[in-house]
Amino acid sequence: MSLAALMLASAVLWFTAAGLAFRLMRRTGWGGAWSLLIGAMAALGGQSGLAASAVMIGDGEAALASALLAFIAAGLTLVGIMLMTRKLVGRHGGNAQKFRDLVEGSLQGVFVLNAEWQVLFANQAAAEIYGFDTADEMLAIESLKPMVAPHEVARLGAYRRMRMRGERAPEVYEYEGRRRDGTPIHIENRSRVVLWDDQPSVLCTIIDITERKQAEMALNASRERLRQIARLSTDWIWETDSQHRYTYMSARVTDVSGLTPEAFLGRSRLDVLSKVMYPEEVREHLVDMARHRPFQDVAYWAELPVGQRCLSVSGRPLFDVDGAFIGYRGTGRDVTCERRAQMALVAAKEEAQAASQAKSDFLAHMSHEFRTPLNAILGFSDVIRGQLFGPIGETKYLEYGNDIYDSGEHLLSMINDILDLSKIEAGQWELFDEEIDVSATVASVVRLVGERVKRGGVVLTVAAADDLPWLWGDERALKQVLLNLLSNAVKFTDADGGVTLSAAVEADGTYLFRVADQGIGIPADEIGRVLEPFEQASNSLTRQSEGTGLGLPLAKSFVELQGGTLEIDSEVGVGTTVSVRFPACRVRPADGGTPAVGSAA
């Protein structure tokens, strides 16, 4: 081989070794390839210099020997680099397979994108996050851009371009993507630039955070909803820590107290309010709070920048997962108007009670004052009508005497009713319970109204047995009740109309007295009214009849004093039925004896 051929071959071998060393360095980062190549270049350069010197002095054999040595050095360098390349590539190839296995088995999605959004690599987790069945399906798409929400494309594209230019871009960020079927997903991405097939690309590690994002959005929506409720509500919302210091106070409190929410934070209620008037029940509320018990509608008066206010608070204790107390959460509201209205109502009620008591005292006093002259009128009129001191020559005087006596009796009856009602209202009426022969009492009442029944032309029917069970009660009160009811029934029933008085023990053991008439009746909306003192139904016929409106109220009071009830059932133009019922404990056997259950006062 000629000297020129050897030198050319050495140069070819050297350039081949240099290219191989460069690629080995780029792929593996092994610096030994350059050391080997530089040594070979020095040897090659030395031998080439010797060969050139030999040529210049005309020593052909020496020149050929130097060129041969240079060729051998270049060949050995190439062989060494090739062997090292094989070793290192094999080692890195094994590591690459291990890396691939790790990536494929990762729960996080991993994929590689080039500058045109093309997917160069993807593991199974990444494919599933984007809705693909396999990684191969994801690799088959032309671009990942359709898998990104349209409003996110520009931002993500800008990040990618910045990385490709070596500029700083967010390494971890979130974005909205699309699954294969178009459903939205939320992704957290970690990106960095890598070389893939000798080309700069972007390595992405992703996590599907859709559920977390939905939970965050639901939480934010709930918080916004609560904020709106807190703004719209007339109540304010508050929270405290385990030491009862406020950690949250809604803005509504400013409208009520004149204090900003910030004035409450980190302070207790007593720290914030300059003066709190705690009644006894609120002191109990403080005990409840110390014992971490719930409380409801606890009201107290406090001095505030806007003046004195009555505040009502409710709260429930909060505990952590271990059961440890962590504070209270509750609401508060301004009840000043309600409390002042209640106070005014109580004052008005007390004033009305005082006025009623004064009225009762006055009526009782005046009734006694009326009785003294009235008894004289009744006595003298009775003397006149009885002609005790001889006959009266003029019959007209006798008629006047009868009228005076009847009017006096009526006035005395009215005074007695007023006095009885006043005693009942004042709580001074005393019951005199005794054994009452009901059959005898009914017969007595019928005799007392006999004259009035005869004058009114009313048909009175008594539906009561002669051997009725006895009743334990106040006989005078019972007689007054039946007399008032019968008198009303006869008074408001036209001639030839019927009135019925019945008495019997019911199946449930109660004693029932019933007075029914075929009179004018009472409008349904006025039944409650006729049971009030001095009230009568607004019927034209009732206004034509005498009466003070005390009969029914007095009868009801007498019945209720003995534990009974009085009920009215009436229809205008048909008639009225009044039912008086005494409890079973007041019923006694017909032959007397101890009350069945016990007497009732």
Side-chain angles (χ1 to χ4, degrees):
M1 180 178 294
S2 65
L3 178 62
L6 284 173
M7 293 299 291
L8 179 61
S10 296
V12 171
L13 289 175
W14 183 84
F15 281 114
T16 302
L20 187 59
F22 179 76
R23 294 190 62 184
L24 184 63
M25 272 293 297
R26 187 172 178 182
R27 291 206 170 194
T28 66
W30 180 62
W34 286 114
S35 299
L36 181 61
L37 184 60
I38 291 170
M41 288 174 61
L44 180 60
Q47 293 302 322
S48 298
L50 291 174
S53 299
V55 171
M56 291 177 65
I57 63 174
D59 188 351
E61 292 184 0
L64 185 61
S66 295
L68 181 61
L69 288 173
F71 175 78
I72 293 172
L76 291 174
T77 299
L78 178 60
V79 171
I81 291 177
M82 291 178 64
L83 291 175
M84 192 56 65
T85 299
R86 182 176 180 183
K87 180 179 180 181
L88 290 177
V89 169
R91 182 188 300 171
H92 281 269
N95 291 338
Q97 184 59 43
K98 292 177 182 178
F99 173 74
R100 182 179 291 271
D101 292 341
L102 289 173
V103 170
E104 287 294 344
S106 174
L107 296 178
Q108 295 182 339
V110 180
F111 62 91
V112 178
L113 285 179
N114 64 11
E116 286 73 34
W117 294 82
Q118 183 181 5
V119 181
L120 304 178
F121 169 80
N123 68 351
Q124 183 63 26
E128 292 176 358
I129 289 174
Y130 279 105
F132 296 96
D133 294 330
T134 65
D136 290 338
E137 291 182 358
M138 185 172 176
L139 291 171
I141 63 176
E142 295 182 0
S143 172
L144 193 68
K145 188 182 293 187
M147 314 301 288
V148 177
H151 65 276
E152 298 278 26
V153 171
R155 179 169 68 98
L156 269 60
Y159 289 169
R160 190 182 69 257
R161 288 190 296 271
M162 291 167 65
R163 291 192 189 90
M164 294 296 188
R165 293 194 298 264
E167 300 173 3
R168 292 181 60 85
E171 184 176 338
V172 180
Y173 54 89
E174 298 176 3
Y175 67 92
E176 182 181 341
R178 294 288 184 267
R179 288 193 175 90
R180 187 181 188 182
D181 59 4
T183 57
I185 54 174
H186 292 274
I187 293 173
E188 180 182 278
N189 182 31
R190 181 182 295 272
S191 299
R192 60 187 297 263
V193 176
V194 297
L195 286 174
W196 193 270
D197 291 336
D198 300 330
Q199 297 296 323
S201 303
V202 179
L203 173 66
C204 301
T205 304
I206 61 172
I207 302 174
D208 185 353
I209 58 170
T210 303
E211 292 184 2
R212 188 186 79 188
K213 208 69 175 177
Q214 290 173 346
E216 289 177 356
M217 289 189 292
L219 180 60
N220 291 336
S222 178
R223 287 174 175 170
E224 179 60 26
R225 187 162 52 248
L226 288 177
R227 280 194 292 268
Q228 292 179 1
I229 292 173
R231 286 196 298 267
L232 296 174
S233 175
T234 56
D235 296 359
W236 66 86
I237 301 171
W238 55 268
E239 286 184 351
T240 65
D241 60 15
S242 60
Q243 302 302 315
H244 305 304
R245 294 176 301 227
Y246 287 108
T247 58
Y248 172 78
M249 182 68 70
S250 66
R252 169 62 180 159
V253 75
T254 303
D255 300 334
V256 175
S257 67
L259 298 170
T260 64
E262 291 73 21
F264 289 82
L265 302 183
R267 306 169 69 189
S268 70
R269 192 184 315 165
L270 293 180
D271 293 335
V272 178
L273 305 179
S274 59
K275 184 179 179 182
V276 178
M277 288 70 79
Y278 279 103
E280 189 61 36
E281 59 267 22
V282 178
R283 294 191 183 95
E284 296 177 2
H285 155 61
L286 295 179
V287 174
D288 287 338
M289 290 186 67
R291 296 179 179 176
H292 309 152
R293 295 191 295 227
F295 53 89
Q296 183 77 28
D297 295 331
V298 177
Y300 57 89
W301 287 89
E303 289 289 347
L304 297 165
V306 294
Q308 193 178 90
R309 290 287 186 271
C310 185
L311 309 178
S312 174
V313 292
S314 302
R316 296 191 65 82
L318 304 175
F319 302 92
D320 62 17
V321 293
D322 297 322
F325 174 72
I326 58 175
Y328 270 96
R329 179 181 296 130
T331 61
R333 60 192 180 96
D334 183 2
V335 294
T336 305
C337 293
E338 291 90 329
R339 281 306 173 96
R340 286 176 177 165
Q342 289 176 4
M343 293 166 62
L345 182 62
V346 170
K349 183 179 179 181
E350 291 176 351
E351 184 178 347
Q353 289 174 341
S356 177
Q357 183 63 43
K359 178 205 70 175
S360 298
D361 293 342
F362 171 77
L363 290 176
H365 176 73
M366 293 304 297
S367 297
H368 285 292
E369 293 297 323
F370 284 147
R371 278 183 172 179
T372 301
L374 187 58
N375 285 334
I377 294 172
L378 287 173
F380 286 123
S381 63
D382 192 37
V383 169
I384 293 173
R385 72 174 188 164
Q387 304 180 66
L388 295 182
F389 297 106
I392 299 175
E394 179 62 53
T395 58
K396 208 66 174 174
Y397 291 128
L398 185 60
E399 292 178 7
Y400 291 157
N402 286 326
D403 291 340
I404 293 171
Y405 185 85
D406 290 342
S407 298
E409 280 285 342
H410 177 69
L411 182 58
L412 180 61
S413 174
M414 184 177 67
I415 291 174
N416 286 335
D417 286 347
I418 292 174
L419 184 59
D420 290 342
L421 190 62
S422 298
K423 287 182 177 180
I424 293 173
E425 289 181 346
Q428 298 175 354
W429 180 274
E430 294 184 14
L431 287 175
F432 295 95
D433 284 339
E434 58 182 332
E435 299 171 354
I436 304 174
D437 184 346
V438 176
S439 297
T441 301
V442 169
S444 174
V445 170
V446 170
R447 284 195 301 272
L448 289 173
V449 299
E451 184 62 30
R452 176 168 290 187
V453 169
K454 186 182 297 183
R455 287 201 308 266
V458 176
V459 179
L460 175 61
T461 303
V462 179
D466 295 333
D467 57 347
L468 285 171
W470 288 30
L471 183 69
W472 181 261
D474 189 314
E475 183 176 10
R476 176 177 174 271
L478 176 63
K479 186 177 292 186
Q480 188 68 50
V481 170
L482 297 179
L483 188 59
N484 287 0
L485 297 182
L486 276 176
S487 297
N488 274 352
V490 172
K491 179 168 60 177
F492 295 111
T493 300
D494 295 332
D496 297 328
V499 174
T500 302
L501 169 62
S502 62
V505 176
E506 296 291 283
D508 60 358
T510 59
Y511 220 131
L512 177 64
F513 296 85
R514 182 171 285 154
V515 176
D517 65 57
Q518 299 174 343
I520 59 177
I522 306 171
D525 59 346
E526 296 190 10
I527 289 178
R529 178 183 173 189
V530 299
L531 291 173
E532 297 295 327
F534 305 104
E535 294 288 347
Q536 291 182 318
S538 58
N539 189 305
S540 60
L541 293 179
T542 64
R543 289 193 291 269
Q544 297 172 8
S545 303
E546 61 180 16
T548 59
L550 291 175
L552 284 175
L554 192 59
K556 182 173 182 290
S557 297
F558 280 139
V559 171
E560 290 178 347
L561 281 174
Q562 300 176 82
T565 60
L566 185 148
E567 297 177 353
I568 299 177
D569 182 22
S570 184
E571 185 176 349
V572 175
V574 177
T576 301
T577 299
V578 181
S579 301
V580 173
R581 192 182 302 272
F582 291 98
C585 62
R586 287 188 171 273
V587 179
R588 300 187 55 184
D591 56 351
T594 305
V597 178
S599 62

